[in-house]
Amino acid sequence: MPGMNKIVLKNLFKKPATRKYPAEKRPFFENGRGQMVFAKMENCIFCGLCSKNCPAKAITVDKAARVNTIDPLKCVQCGYCADACPKDVIIMQSEYYPPQYNKKVRSVKGPAKAPKPDAPTADAPAAQ
Amino acid sequence: MAAETATVDVKCNITFGPQHPVFPEPVQFKLEVVDEKVVGAAPVLGYVHRGIEKAFELNDFKLNPALSAKICGICPSPHTTAYCRGAEMLLGLEAPPRAKYIRVIVNELNRLHSHILWFGLLGDAVGFESYFMQTWNYREKVMDMLEKITGHRVYYATNGVGGVRRDITDTQLREIETLMKAVEEDMGSIADVVKDYTVKKRTQNVGVLTADEALLTGAVGPTLRASGIAKDIRMTGYDAYGEVDFKPQTADSCDAYGRAVVRWKEIYQSIEIIRRCLAQIPKGEIMLKTPNTPKGEAISRTEAPRGELFYYMRGNGTKNLERCKVRTPTYANVWPTVTMLSKGCQIADVAVIVLSIDPCISCTER
Amino acid sequence: MPDPAIDSIAVTKDTLVPETKKLWERKARFAIATCNDLGDKFEIIYHFDDELKVVNLRLQFGLDETAPSIAPVYPAAALIEMEMAELFGVKIEGAKGNFLLTDESPKTPMRKKKKEAA
């Protein structure tokens, strides 16, 4: 193989193309779609848009209990939930979901329902 | 008087697959063999059927690009492009110009990494393992670039109905230009290996498909263009292909070596198309606001690395599609493979013939 | 037919094979056939590619009728006819057998579920 001999000789003197994992981990690029995270739960209003826009039906929103659940084994890391959220609660992180031994889902609790502002009282000054 | 003897050809049945080290995906070919020559073949499919056409009807039509990208792992970009163009035709819209250029850039980067992958599989089919590993190492640079642009190495979900979801920054456009120089240098360093004596002996005059047979059995993609017929869906000028001066690449030898030559030329042509797009890309918005009522029928076709990808879509005014039919290029290339195998090839050539059409069985069975 | 629809030539069970022969003489390439479940009848659209333009032949017939096969003219159509017979339960001449599904799979999964009258 005369054509391949040149490449073999060059590869002898180059550093290897493989990485000594797990001693050396691969750095991830920014803006990657590795996993989704409910990052800013204090802003969540439980509108359910993330759940309606999930093609894999991996997100469950429980408005009564104020709890959001993500099933990491169903998630396909498409990012539609992050685009749909009106309050920027969900962000996509570059690192992949870690492997799991069993099918557990992740739940996060959100803020309690904000009380309604005071209704106008009966003896407010009327325009005369 | 000598007794007359009659000779009878004894046919053996040999099953090739579904698990075979040379096929990337499970497919079975039942071969009828006389001595060492194959005289008939029958494909058996159905090992990875997932029912995706039914799943298209169950979701909101704007969420379906995430599903259509899952049909194939090596060519998700043409699938999402074809779906989004079909949905835009049902709504009566067109994507903005900058979105069209971004779609072309991601499609051509996809074609680059797919053809470099195929050269590696060709080396694997003839037993040339070091060539296989060297090309797959060169492919990593293209996959890293795609991860920077789209966010994931394999599952590029950038296309949305009405445009693209993610923009390419100016820094990334300069990095793509540097990548093109690196790919040219890498492929140039292994150009002599493709013209090597052993590779030519294993692929020349193997899997011959004449021009008439190619047209009448419905071949698509490099399988068709290696028989001298210059047909490519990018000639219709969809997205931004009408503005980059595109010409299809052909070869005349009608065999597996001709298909390797066509894919080699297409690698260099993809580099040229990306360079023209980088020079001409306009500024502007990347996504339109779209209504929720797809109505009517539409046909959208794109050129995947393996051939013509055909989507037929039908909407009835609600936000679920009524029918979405997908015909992938390997589905159209199954009958030409059976024709090629039945002409009397050796058993050792079956792997080279089946790999020369670049089979993607998960696309075929959806 | 939904509005707007694609350009198509309407054929009947008798005119399907003669129209296909005309396309064969023009060296058109057979692309694929699509089956639609319209509730009370089936509709099969045959798509051909003639010099990069799509030509469609539209055939509609009842649920219990048998449609003719174009495999004598275009042998590559045998695959898609087997698939349509299996996934939709359409009766086409000469199309039978398991292609994508197994014996334990649900039968004719692509048919629309009948909505019950309220």
Side-chain angles (χ1 to χ4, degrees):
Chain A
M1 305 268 133
M4 203 65 195
N5 282 343
K6 274 190 299 191
I7 302 183
V8 170
L9 278 176
K10 263 198 256 174
N11 281 347
L12 265 180
F13 300 110
K14 272 204 270 188
K15 63 182 178 67
T18 49
R19 204 176 265 123
K20 288 187 172 44
Y21 187 82
E24 223 182 278
K25 290 206 197 339
R26 175 187 189 258
F28 287 99
F29 296 116
E30 52 182 37
N31 291 333
R33 282 182 285 119
Q35 59 178 313
M36 71 81 89
V37 167
F38 287 107
K40 301 204 177 73
M41 272 308 278
E42 60 270 12
N43 298 341
C44 182
I45 56 173
F46 295 95
C47 60
L49 274 176
C50 57
S51 176
K52 291 194 190 104
N53 273 306
C54 177
K57 310 222 179 356
I59 303 183
T60 332
V61 168
D62 192 346
K63 191 164 183 172
R66 315 296 282 183
V67 165
N68 283 342
T69 311
I70 170 74
D71 186 349
L73 293 175
K74 279 197 185 156
C75 172
V76 288
Q77 304 106 37
C78 60
Y80 282 32
C81 51
D83 288 346
C85 179
K87 299 284 180 191
D88 290 332
V89 173
I90 301 182
I91 59 166
M92 300 296 296
Q93 280 183 343
S94 303
E95 210 174 302
Y96 302 142
Y97 284 112
Q100 304 183 170
Y101 281 111
N102 37 30
K103 288 194 176 182
K104 278 209 282 208
V105 299
R106 295 183 190 173
S107 299
V108 272
K109 201 157 167 60
K113 204 164 173 178
K116 279 210 183 86
D118 290 332
T121 50
D123 46 41
Q128 281 194 339
Chain B
M1 227 167 13
E4 284 177 8
T5 52
T7 50
V8 166
D9 278 336
V10 177
K11 285 194 190 149
C12 266
N13 283 337
I14 295 189
T15 44
F16 206 83
Q19 270 136 347
H20 196 279
V22 101
F23 288 157
E25 277 147 331
V27 65
Q28 187 179 57
F29 279 95
K30 290 200 160 109
L31 306 171
E32 268 186 349
V33 172
V34 170
D35 281 343
E36 181 83 12
K37 252 180 7 156
V38 177
V39 292
V44 176
L45 301 169
Y47 290 97
V48 278
H49 178 67
R50 294 164 283 169
I52 291 190
E53 283 185 10
K54 185 79 183 176
F56 272 131
E57 300 167 15
L58 303 176
N59 261 340
D60 187 348
F61 82 107
K62 285 195 187 163
L63 303 181
N64 276 336
L67 177 62
S68 71
K70 284 277 183 185
I71 298 182
C72 182
I74 321 178
C75 55
S77 185
H79 276 279
T80 48
T81 308
Y83 181 88
C84 292
R85 281 188 62 235
E88 285 158 13
M89 283 187 219
L90 289 180
L91 296 169
L93 298 170
E94 254 190 56
R98 187 175 171 96
K100 287 186 182 174
Y101 271 85
I102 294 180
R103 280 182 183 171
V104 168
I105 292 179
V106 178
N107 270 352
E108 292 302 312
L109 280 172
N110 195 357
R111 191 182 313 270
L112 260 183
H113 102 77
S114 173
H115 283 336
I116 299 179
L117 180 152
W118 181 79
F119 273 102
L121 291 182
L122 175 71
D124 194 31
V126 301
F128 198 171
E129 300 288 339
S130 42
Y131 183 57
F132 174 34
M133 288 191 278
Q134 194 70 32
T135 42
W136 279 45
N137 193 16
Y138 294 152
R139 184 179 159 242
E140 290 291 316
K141 294 186 192 152
V142 184
M143 311 250 302
D144 280 348
M145 189 70 231
L146 279 162
E147 185 176 1
K148 278 188 214 167
I149 303 180
T150 63
H152 202 281
R153 275 161 59 95
V154 175
Y155 183 53
Y156 334 128
T158 39
N159 280 330
V161 176
V164 293
R165 293 165 57 210
R166 210 188 251 240
D167 205 353
I168 303 188
T169 62
D170 288 331
T171 330
Q172 284 167 349
L173 289 173
R174 282 193 289 274
E175 284 176 15
I176 298 180
E177 176 56 51
T178 327
L179 171 73
M180 292 295 109
K181 289 201 193 82
V183 172
E184 263 184 339
E185 212 184 280
D186 286 339
M187 297 319 278
S189 73
I190 52 172
D192 287 334
V193 183
V194 185
K195 301 181 205 149
D196 190 82
Y197 172 76
T198 313
V199 176
K200 272 192 184 173
K201 269 297 217 196
R202 282 300 300 267
T203 51
Q204 275 178 339
N205 291 323
V206 164
V208 176
L209 192 71
T210 61
D212 281 333
E213 279 171 353
L215 269 178
L216 294 174
T217 49
V220 291
T223 316
L224 177 71
R225 295 198 277 281
S227 305
I229 301 173
K231 286 263 157 48
D232 189 321
I233 303 296
R234 291 175 280 172
M235 290 155 72
T236 55
Y238 67 90
D239 278 347
Y241 283 109
E243 297 157 37
V244 295
D245 193 21
F246 169 80
K247 288 190 186 32
Q249 308 286 320
T250 58
D252 280 324
S253 53
C254 306
D255 55 11
Y257 189 69
R259 289 166 212 139
V261 167
V262 167
R263 290 189 176 103
W264 188 263
K265 289 187 193 172
E266 284 191 355
I267 289 182
Y268 283 96
Q269 187 190 41
S270 287
I271 297 179
E272 273 311 306
I273 293 181
I274 295 180
R275 284 193 170 133
R276 285 194 196 131
C277 283
L278 293 176
Q280 292 175 289
I281 185 168
K283 296 206 187 297
E285 55 173 359
I286 53 173
M287 181 67 123
L288 300 173
K289 276 212 171 309
T290 50
N292 262 339
T293 51
K295 216 160 141 33
E297 292 178 330
I299 288 183
S300 88
R301 306 189 287 168
T302 53
E303 181 79 11
R306 285 155 186 77
E308 171 205 29
L309 182 60
F310 190 106
Y311 266 68
Y312 164 88
M313 294 161 66
R314 187 179 170 122
N316 55 10
T318 62
K319 63 180 172 62
N320 283 21
L321 284 181
E322 188 163 319
R323 179 88 171 99
C324 181
K325 165 83 188 164
V326 179
R327 198 253 24 216
T328 51
T330 311
Y331 197 95
N333 278 338
V334 169
W335 203 260
T337 315
V338 171
T339 314
M340 287 192 274
L341 283 174
S342 315
K343 279 188 186 177
C345 64
Q346 307 261 329
I347 295 187
D349 291 334
V350 172
V352 175
I353 292 178
V354 175
L355 271 181
S356 73
I357 63 161
D358 207 354
C360 181
I361 305 297
S362 24
C363 268
T364 312
E365 304 182 9
R366 296 148 278 136
Chain C
M1 220 165 312
D3 169 31
I6 47 179
D7 291 330
S8 60
I9 304 173
V11 292
T12 63
K13 291 197 293 188
D14 301 316
T15 58
L16 173 65
V17 180
E19 286 284 331
T20 319
K21 284 218 175 83
K22 279 194 231 167
L23 285 165
W24 191 85
E25 265 139 41
R26 286 188 351 224
K27 294 211 174 218
R29 176 173 59 88
F30 173 68
I32 199 61
T34 313
C35 181
N36 281 326
D37 178 5
L38 296 179
D40 53 346
K41 49 187 177 184
F42 282 124
E43 179 185 70
I44 301 187
I45 312 180
Y46 290 90
H47 307 281
F48 295 85
D49 173 308
D50 186 11
E51 299 292 324
L52 291 181
K53 273 175 27 111
V54 182
V55 176
N56 303 309
L57 300 180
R58 199 184 292 258
L59 169 71
Q60 292 187 344
F61 55 98
L63 293 177
D64 288 324
E65 296 172 26
T66 305
S69 163
I70 65 170
V73 184
Y74 280 103
L79 271 179
I80 183 64
E81 288 175 353
M82 257 197 322
E83 183 186 326
M84 286 196 289
E86 188 184 31
L87 291 179
F88 278 90
V90 177
K91 294 209 229 323
I92 302 185
E93 276 168 45
K96 60 183 191 315
N98 276 348
F99 181 45
L100 291 176
L101 301 177
T102 62
D103 291 329
E104 295 101 20
S105 309
K107 304 271 175 259
T108 66
M110 291 292 294
R111 296 286 296 273
K112 304 263 180 207
K113 287 202 182 9
K114 293 198 188 352
K115 289 197 184 45
E116 301 197 334

